[in-house]
């Protein structure tokens, strides 16, 4: 990736990235590594993690993959413990594990609604809580991956929008509670990001064209652009920023919710 940051920006730091095997969080894992950070990535399936870890190790980065479901507190505790043992510390936590699908509210089952809330919102809390003792040790960073769905009232996304609204609230509250420990807690809210599974599954060629037309910058974001913003929020370049969720969508959310809805 083309990076504005140097290789020593996060030198000596260690990060845990949930959902780090694919998509945006894979890009964030690579970007943190490029800035000098050791990186552990976690997901429910090792199959999704191993190619990313192989790439990181090939680039000379100390890295490991740990399989766990963020909905299960005991499994999360084990991931955090293994990461701290392998890397010696945890300075940065990126909560990126998420689930989503398109479904109008009137057809959405309670289980379907709950599954997304459990992964996105409860999972973010579970991992943050488990990592807290390590983050308190030296002062650390929590970066919660949010979205713009909850800003827009996006049709077919009531479950994900509710979960991400909760994530945004969690970000603000933890920033207040954990600030005295020297921990900064921020969020990153990407809009549609080109080349991701979310865009492939949740949009159509017609809706992507509408996004390009409505976006003030005229296009979708790239994974590298989101990952670069993540490095900024995880570095001392943002040392006095906490409790903020940074929207990265080229101004699209300011224009219309209709661009992101299903056909």
């Amino acid at each position: 990736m083309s990076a504005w940051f140097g290789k020593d920006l996060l030198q000596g730091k260690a990060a845990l990235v949930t959902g780090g095997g694919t998509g945006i969080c894979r890009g964030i894992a690579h970007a943190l590594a490029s800035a000098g950070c050791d990186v552990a990535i976690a997901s429910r399936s090792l199959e999704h993690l191993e190619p990313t870890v192989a790439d990181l190790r090939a680039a000379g980065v100390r890295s490991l993959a740990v399989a766990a479901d963020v909905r299960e507190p005991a499994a999360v505790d084990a991931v955090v413990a293994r990461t701290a043992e392998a890397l010696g510390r945890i300075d940065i936590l990126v909560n990126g594990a998420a689930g989503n699908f398109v479904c109008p509210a009137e057809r959405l089952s309670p289980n379907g609604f709950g599954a997304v809330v459990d992964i996105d919102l409860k999972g973010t809390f579970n991992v943050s809580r488990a990592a807290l003792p390590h983050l308190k040790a030296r002062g650390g960073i929590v970066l919660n991956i949010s979205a713009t769905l909850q800003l827009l009232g996006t049709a077919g996304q009531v479950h994900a929008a509710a979960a991400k609204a909760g994530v945004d609230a969690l970000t603000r509250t933890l920033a207040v509670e954990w600030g005295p420990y020297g921990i900064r807690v921020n969020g990153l809210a990407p809009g549609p990001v080109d080349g991701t599974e979310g865009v492939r599954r949740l949009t159509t060629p017609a809706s992507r064209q509408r996004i390009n037309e409505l976006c003030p910058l005229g296009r979708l974001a790239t994974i590298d652009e989101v990952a670069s913003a993540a490095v900024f929020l995880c570095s001392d370049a943002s040392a006095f920023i906490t409790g903020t969720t940074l929207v990265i969508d080229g101004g699209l959310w300011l224009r219309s919710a209709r661009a992101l809805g299903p056909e």
Side-chain angles (χ1 to χ4, degrees), residues 62-77:
R62 188 162 60 150
S63 180
L64 74 151
V66 188
D69 189 330
V70 297
R71 294 173 292 185
E72 300 175 3
V76 167
D77 289 345

mmCIF file with all atom_site columns, all heavy atoms in Angstrom, residues 62-77:
data_model
loop_
_atom_site.group_PDB
_atom_site.id
_atom_site.type_symbol
_atom_site.label_atom_id
_atom_site.label_alt_id
_atom_site.label_comp_id
_atom_site.label_asym_id
_atom_site.label_entity_id
_atom_site.label_seq_id
_atom_site.pdbx_PDB_ins_code
_atom_site.Cartn_x
_atom_site.Cartn_y
_atom_site.Cartn_z
_atom_site.occupancy
_atom_site.B_iso_or_equiv
_atom_site.pdbx_formal_charge
_atom_site.auth_seq_id
_atom_site.auth_comp_id
_atom_site.auth_asym_id
_atom_site.auth_atom_id
_atom_site.pdbx_PDB_model_num
ATOM 1   N N   . ARG A 1 62 ? 6.371   -10.046 13.029 1.00 0.00 ? 62 ARG A N   1
ATOM 2   C CA  . ARG A 1 62 ? 5.987   -11.041 14.020 1.00 0.00 ? 62 ARG A CA  1
ATOM 3   C C   . ARG A 1 62 ? 4.466   -11.067 14.110 1.00 0.00 ? 62 ARG A C   1
ATOM 4   O O   . ARG A 1 62 ? 3.835   -10.061 14.441 1.00 0.00 ? 62 ARG A O   1
ATOM 5   C CB  . ARG A 1 62 ? 6.603   -10.715 15.379 1.00 0.00 ? 62 ARG A CB  1
ATOM 6   C CG  . ARG A 1 62 ? 6.395   -11.810 16.417 1.00 0.00 ? 62 ARG A CG  1
ATOM 7   C CD  . ARG A 1 62 ? 7.335   -11.690 17.586 1.00 0.00 ? 62 ARG A CD  1
ATOM 8   N NE  . ARG A 1 62 ? 7.185   -10.426 18.288 1.00 0.00 ? 62 ARG A NE  1
ATOM 9   C CZ  . ARG A 1 62 ? 7.417   -10.264 19.587 1.00 0.00 ? 62 ARG A CZ  1
ATOM 10  N NH1 . ARG A 1 62 ? 7.807   -11.286 20.315 1.00 0.00 ? 62 ARG A NH1 1
ATOM 11  N NH2 . ARG A 1 62 ? 7.281   -9.085  20.147 1.00 0.00 ? 62 ARG A NH2 1
ATOM 12  N N   . SER A 1 63 ? 3.877   -12.214 13.800 1.00 0.00 ? 63 SER A N   1
ATOM 13  C CA  . SER A 1 63 ? 2.426   -12.277 13.674 1.00 0.00 ? 63 SER A CA  1
ATOM 14  C C   . SER A 1 63 ? 1.922   -13.647 14.090 1.00 0.00 ? 63 SER A C   1
ATOM 15  O O   . SER A 1 63 ? 2.657   -14.638 14.030 1.00 0.00 ? 63 SER A O   1
ATOM 16  C CB  . SER A 1 63 ? 2.026   -11.989 12.223 1.00 0.00 ? 63 SER A CB  1
ATOM 17  O OG  . SER A 1 63 ? 0.629   -12.049 12.050 1.00 0.00 ? 63 SER A OG  1
ATOM 18  N N   . LEU A 1 64 ? 0.651   -13.710 14.494 1.00 0.00 ? 64 LEU A N   1
ATOM 19  C CA  . LEU A 1 64 ? 0.028   -14.996 14.765 1.00 0.00 ? 64 LEU A CA  1
ATOM 20  C C   . LEU A 1 64 ? -1.458  -14.905 14.483 1.00 0.00 ? 64 LEU A C   1
ATOM 21  O O   . LEU A 1 64 ? -2.055  -13.825 14.470 1.00 0.00 ? 64 LEU A O   1
ATOM 22  C CB  . LEU A 1 64 ? 0.258   -15.441 16.212 1.00 0.00 ? 64 LEU A CB  1
ATOM 23  C CG  . LEU A 1 64 ? -0.536  -14.744 17.323 1.00 0.00 ? 64 LEU A CG  1
ATOM 24  C CD1 . LEU A 1 64 ? -0.748  -15.699 18.484 1.00 0.00 ? 64 LEU A CD1 1
ATOM 25  C CD2 . LEU A 1 64 ? 0.207   -13.493 17.798 1.00 0.00 ? 64 LEU A CD2 1
ATOM 26  N N   . ALA A 1 65 ? -2.044  -16.080 14.247 1.00 0.00 ? 65 ALA A N   1
ATOM 27  C CA  . ALA A 1 65 ? -3.481  -16.209 14.000 1.00 0.00 ? 65 ALA A CA  1
ATOM 28  C C   . ALA A 1 65 ? -4.100  -17.013 15.124 1.00 0.00 ? 65 ALA A C   1
ATOM 29  O O   . ALA A 1 65 ? -3.551  -18.038 15.537 1.00 0.00 ? 65 ALA A O   1
ATOM 30  C CB  . ALA A 1 65 ? -3.724  -16.899 12.663 1.00 0.00 ? 65 ALA A CB  1
ATOM 31  N N   . VAL A 1 66 ? -5.255  -16.539 15.606 1.00 0.00 ? 66 VAL A N   1
ATOM 32  C CA  . VAL A 1 66 ? -5.948  -17.221 16.696 1.00 0.00 ? 66 VAL A CA  1
ATOM 33  C C   . VAL A 1 66 ? -7.431  -17.305 16.337 1.00 0.00 ? 66 VAL A C   1
ATOM 34  O O   . VAL A 1 66 ? -8.067  -16.288 16.066 1.00 0.00 ? 66 VAL A O   1
ATOM 35  C CB  . VAL A 1 66 ? -5.787  -16.472 18.033 1.00 0.00 ? 66 VAL A CB  1
ATOM 36  C CG1 . VAL A 1 66 ? -6.342  -17.314 19.165 1.00 0.00 ? 66 VAL A CG1 1
ATOM 37  C CG2 . VAL A 1 66 ? -4.340  -16.112 18.298 1.00 0.00 ? 66 VAL A CG2 1
ATOM 38  N N   . ALA A 1 67 ? -7.966  -18.513 16.330 1.00 0.00 ? 67 ALA A N   1
ATOM 39  C CA  . ALA A 1 67 ? -9.383  -18.707 16.013 1.00 0.00 ? 67 ALA A CA  1
ATOM 40  C C   . ALA A 1 67 ? -10.227 -18.575 17.275 1.00 0.00 ? 67 ALA A C   1
ATOM 41  O O   . ALA A 1 67 ? -9.917  -19.167 18.309 1.00 0.00 ? 67 ALA A O   1
ATOM 42  C CB  . ALA A 1 67 ? -9.606  -20.078 15.384 1.00 0.00 ? 67 ALA A CB  1
ATOM 43  N N   . ALA A 1 68 ? -11.288 -17.788 17.184 1.00 0.00 ? 68 ALA A N   1
ATOM 44  C CA  . ALA A 1 68 ? -12.213 -17.640 18.306 1.00 0.00 ? 68 ALA A CA  1
ATOM 45  C C   . ALA A 1 68 ? -13.465 -16.919 17.832 1.00 0.00 ? 68 ALA A C   1
ATOM 46  O O   . ALA A 1 68 ? -13.436 -16.166 16.854 1.00 0.00 ? 68 ALA A O   1
ATOM 47  C CB  . ALA A 1 68 ? -11.574 -16.855 19.444 1.00 0.00 ? 68 ALA A CB  1
ATOM 48  N N   . ASP A 1 69 ? -14.545 -17.153 18.532 1.00 0.00 ? 69 ASP A N   1
ATOM 49  C CA  . ASP A 1 69 ? -15.805 -16.475 18.285 1.00 0.00 ? 69 ASP A CA  1
ATOM 50  C C   . ASP A 1 69 ? -15.943 -15.355 19.312 1.00 0.00 ? 69 ASP A C   1
ATOM 51  O O   . ASP A 1 69 ? -15.963 -15.621 20.524 1.00 0.00 ? 69 ASP A O   1
ATOM 52  C CB  . ASP A 1 69 ? -16.962 -17.466 18.420 1.00 0.00 ? 69 ASP A CB  1
ATOM 53  C CG  . ASP A 1 69 ? -18.294 -16.901 17.962 1.00 0.00 ? 69 ASP A CG  1
ATOM 54  O OD1 . ASP A 1 69 ? -18.491 -15.683 18.064 1.00 0.00 ? 69 ASP A OD1 1
ATOM 55  O OD2 . ASP A 1 69 ? -19.147 -17.700 17.514 1.00 0.00 ? 69 ASP A OD2 1
ATOM 56  N N   . VAL A 1 70 ? -16.041 -14.110 18.847 1.00 0.00 ? 70 VAL A N   1
ATOM 57  C CA  . VAL A 1 70 ? -16.065 -12.981 19.780 1.00 0.00 ? 70 VAL A CA  1
ATOM 58  C C   . VAL A 1 70 ? -17.328 -12.957 20.631 1.00 0.00 ? 70 VAL A C   1
ATOM 59  O O   . VAL A 1 70 ? -17.406 -12.199 21.610 1.00 0.00 ? 70 VAL A O   1
ATOM 60  C CB  . VAL A 1 70 ? -15.914 -11.632 19.036 1.00 0.00 ? 70 VAL A CB  1
ATOM 61  C CG1 . VAL A 1 70 ? -14.565 -11.556 18.341 1.00 0.00 ? 70 VAL A CG1 1
ATOM 62  C CG2 . VAL A 1 70 ? -17.062 -11.409 18.053 1.00 0.00 ? 70 VAL A CG2 1
ATOM 63  N N   . ARG A 1 71 ? -18.309 -13.786 20.288 1.00 0.00 ? 71 ARG A N   1
ATOM 64  C CA  . ARG A 1 71 ? -19.532 -13.864 21.097 1.00 0.00 ? 71 ARG A CA  1
ATOM 65  C C   . ARG A 1 71 ? -19.332 -14.682 22.354 1.00 0.00 ? 71 ARG A C   1
ATOM 66  O O   . ARG A 1 71 ? -20.197 -14.689 23.246 1.00 0.00 ? 71 ARG A O   1
ATOM 67  C CB  . ARG A 1 71 ? -20.660 -14.477 20.260 1.00 0.00 ? 71 ARG A CB  1
ATOM 68  C CG  . ARG A 1 71 ? -21.092 -13.618 19.092 1.00 0.00 ? 71 ARG A CG  1
ATOM 69  C CD  . ARG A 1 71 ? -22.079 -14.327 18.190 1.00 0.00 ? 71 ARG A CD  1
ATOM 70  N NE  . ARG A 1 71 ? -21.458 -15.443 17.483 1.00 0.00 ? 71 ARG A NE  1
ATOM 71  C CZ  . ARG A 1 71 ? -22.059 -16.176 16.556 1.00 0.00 ? 71 ARG A CZ  1
ATOM 72  N NH1 . ARG A 1 71 ? -23.330 -15.907 16.235 1.00 0.00 ? 71 ARG A NH1 1
ATOM 73  N NH2 . ARG A 1 71 ? -21.430 -17.158 15.953 1.00 0.00 ? 71 ARG A NH2 1
ATOM 74  N N   . GLU A 1 72 ? -18.204 -15.387 22.473 1.00 0.00 ? 72 GLU A N   1
ATOM 75  C CA  . GLU A 1 72 ? -17.956 -16.283 23.596 1.00 0.00 ? 72 GLU A CA  1
ATOM 76  C C   . GLU A 1 72 ? -16.858 -15.710 24.494 1.00 0.00 ? 72 GLU A C   1
ATOM 77  O O   . GLU A 1 72 ? -15.674 -15.748 24.150 1.00 0.00 ? 72 GLU A O   1
ATOM 78  C CB  . GLU A 1 72 ? -17.552 -17.658 23.079 1.00 0.00 ? 72 GLU A CB  1
ATOM 79  C CG  . GLU A 1 72 ? -18.628 -18.301 22.197 1.00 0.00 ? 72 GLU A CG  1
ATOM 80  C CD  . GLU A 1 72 ? -18.176 -19.611 21.583 1.00 0.00 ? 72 GLU A CD  1
ATOM 81  O OE1 . GLU A 1 72 ? -17.042 -20.056 21.887 1.00 0.00 ? 72 GLU A OE1 1
ATOM 82  O OE2 . GLU A 1 72 ? -18.945 -20.181 20.793 1.00 0.00 ? 72 GLU A OE2 1
ATOM 83  N N   . PRO A 1 73 ? -17.206 -15.159 25.646 1.00 0.00 ? 73 PRO A N   1
ATOM 84  C CA  . PRO A 1 73 ? -16.217 -14.503 26.502 1.00 0.00 ? 73 PRO A CA  1
ATOM 85  C C   . PRO A 1 73 ? -15.020 -15.377 26.863 1.00 0.00 ? 73 PRO A C   1
ATOM 86  O O   . PRO A 1 73 ? -13.884 -14.881 26.907 1.00 0.00 ? 73 PRO A O   1
ATOM 87  C CB  . PRO A 1 73 ? -17.032 -14.126 27.747 1.00 0.00 ? 73 PRO A CB  1
ATOM 88  C CG  . PRO A 1 73 ? -18.418 -13.951 27.228 1.00 0.00 ? 73 PRO A CG  1
ATOM 89  C CD  . PRO A 1 73 ? -18.583 -14.998 26.166 1.00 0.00 ? 73 PRO A CD  1
ATOM 90  N N   . ALA A 1 74 ? -15.242 -16.659 27.117 1.00 0.00 ? 74 ALA A N   1
ATOM 91  C CA  . ALA A 1 74 ? -14.114 -17.527 27.474 1.00 0.00 ? 74 ALA A CA  1
ATOM 92  C C   . ALA A 1 74 ? -13.137 -17.659 26.314 1.00 0.00 ? 74 ALA A C   1
ATOM 93  O O   . ALA A 1 74 ? -11.911 -17.659 26.509 1.00 0.00 ? 74 ALA A O   1
ATOM 94  C CB  . ALA A 1 74 ? -14.628 -18.902 27.905 1.00 0.00 ? 74 ALA A CB  1
ATOM 95  N N   . ALA A 1 75 ? -13.662 -17.782 25.099 1.00 0.00 ? 75 ALA A N   1
ATOM 96  C CA  . ALA A 1 75 ? -12.803 -17.874 23.923 1.00 0.00 ? 75 ALA A CA  1
ATOM 97  C C   . ALA A 1 75 ? -12.043 -16.571 23.704 1.00 0.00 ? 75 ALA A C   1
ATOM 98  O O   . ALA A 1 75 ? -10.863 -16.573 23.320 1.00 0.00 ? 75 ALA A O   1
ATOM 99  C CB  . ALA A 1 75 ? -13.642 -18.224 22.696 1.00 0.00 ? 75 ALA A CB  1
ATOM 100 N N   . VAL A 1 76 ? -12.706 -15.462 23.958 1.00 0.00 ? 76 VAL A N   1
ATOM 101 C CA  . VAL A 1 76 ? -12.058 -14.157 23.823 1.00 0.00 ? 76 VAL A CA  1
ATOM 102 C C   . VAL A 1 76 ? -10.924 -14.012 24.835 1.00 0.00 ? 76 VAL A C   1
ATOM 103 O O   . VAL A 1 76 ? -9.831  -13.536 24.511 1.00 0.00 ? 76 VAL A O   1
ATOM 104 C CB  . VAL A 1 76 ? -13.098 -13.036 23.998 1.00 0.00 ? 76 VAL A CB  1
ATOM 105 C CG1 . VAL A 1 76 ? -12.417 -11.686 24.182 1.00 0.00 ? 76 VAL A CG1 1
ATOM 106 C CG2 . VAL A 1 76 ? -14.041 -12.994 22.798 1.00 0.00 ? 76 VAL A CG2 1
ATOM 107 N N   . ASP A 1 77 ? -11.173 -14.420 26.059 1.00 0.00 ? 77 ASP A N   1
ATOM 108 C CA  . ASP A 1 77 ? -10.121 -14.360 27.080 1.00 0.00 ? 77 ASP A CA  1
ATOM 109 C C   . ASP A 1 77 ? -8.897  -15.157 26.638 1.00 0.00 ? 77 ASP A C   1
ATOM 110 O O   . ASP A 1 77 ? -7.751  -14.719 26.844 1.00 0.00 ? 77 ASP A O   1
ATOM 111 C CB  . ASP A 1 77 ? -10.647 -14.923 28.407 1.00 0.00 ? 77 ASP A CB  1
ATOM 112 C CG  . ASP A 1 77 ? -11.661 -14.009 29.078 1.00 0.00 ? 77 ASP A CG  1
ATOM 113 O OD1 . ASP A 1 77 ? -11.757 -12.834 28.693 1.00 0.00 ? 77 ASP A OD1 1
ATOM 114 O OD2 . ASP A 1 77 ? -12.369 -14.493 29.985 1.00 0.00 ? 77 ASP A OD2 1
#
